[in-house]
Amino acid sequence: MVKTFLDRHDLTGKAIIPFSTHEGSGLSNFAKTLRSYYPDAKILQGLAINGREAEQSKPKVEKWLKELGF
């Protein structure tokens, strides 16, 4: 699904902030993949939340967004 999105949208020159829920893989190599698609994009620090922790992750997400300046 993400690859289809990347294939259909030009994010060149944009700021990209990866985030996901997962069951053990984290963000994996997603930043590297994004750089291969969009070498001129600004890729900011991503956040991966384990699916078991998703319901209690609001403080972690808020801290992450604050660190990014949002």
Side-chain angles (χ1 to χ4, degrees):
M1 187 165 46
V2 174
K3 184 177 180 322
T4 299
F5 177 87
L6 295 175
D7 287 340
R8 293 183 180 175
H9 295 84
D10 183 7
L11 303 177
T12 302
K14 305 286 185 188
I16 302 172
I17 309 169
F19 62 94
S20 74
T21 58
H22 65 90
E23 287 302 322
S25 62
L27 287 175
S28 191
N29 290 322
F30 197 57
K32 182 178 177 181
T33 300
L34 286 171
R35 281 189 201 89
S36 73
Y37 273 80
Y38 305 111
D40 295 327
K42 181 177 181 181
I43 301 170
L44 301 177
Q45 178 185 343
L47 177 68
I49 301 285
N50 188 286
R52 292 180 300 257
E53 300 170 359
E55 288 187 32
Q56 297 84 23
S57 66
K58 185 176 178 179
K60 189 174 189 176
V61 172
E62 289 174 339
K63 180 179 183 245
W64 170 64
L65 290 173
K66 186 176 180 180
E67 289 170 357
L68 291 173
F70 293 97

